[in-house]
Amino acid sequence: PQLVCIEKRLSGTDVSRNLEVPSQARFLPEANGIMLVTDRDGIRYEFIAPVRKSGRRSLTHQWSDFAAAKGLRASEFIRINWSGNENHYVVQVGLEAHGQHIVWETL
């Protein structure tokens, strides 16, 4: 079973630069650890989640390449799930919302 690591509505900065990690995020790798993501087309991405001096984290490295390749837009919902297998993660985008229910699609 996959475990929700990050779930948030994307901002313009999240899409164009680095994904700001919410403080309630769980199942992240150690500071500067690599998050491996293989998309549904078999393309592999590596995100790094460094800890800044403020204590906050953001996803860097290939995150902006991933966001551009997937056509992510500000105000979309994103979910990153930990697969339970070392540092392997799955990224999903929320396609439509029905009240509090979101339909997720794996990217």
Side-chain angles (χ1 to χ4, degrees), residues 4 6 14-15 24 45 58 60 64-65 81 92-94 99 103:
V4 176
I6 298 169
D14 291 330
V15 173
Q24 69 270 23
Y45 295 88
S58 61
T60 63
S64 58
D65 296 337
N81 296 320
Q92 297 178 310
V93 65
V103 177

Side-chain angles (χ1 to χ4, degrees), residues 25-86:
R26 304 177 305 156
F27 310 112
L28 291 169
E30 292 182 24
N32 299 318
I34 294 175
M35 297 174 71
L36 301 173
V37 171
T38 302
D39 72 10
R40 65 179 179 205
D41 298 320
I43 299 170
R44 184 173 147 160
Y45 295 88
E46 293 182 357
F47 307 153
I48 298 175
V51 178
R52 297 188 300 242
K53 289 180 183 179
S54 66
R56 300 286 315 261
R57 296 180 87 170
S58 61
L59 296 189
T60 63
H61 196 46
Q62 293 182 320
W63 166 257
S64 58
D65 296 337
F66 179 86
K70 300 302 176 184
L72 297 178
R73 298 182 310 268
S75 82
E76 286 184 308
F77 285 98
I78 190 115
R79 178 190 282 175
I80 300 178
N81 296 320
W82 178 50
S83 69
N85 179 13
E86 298 181 24

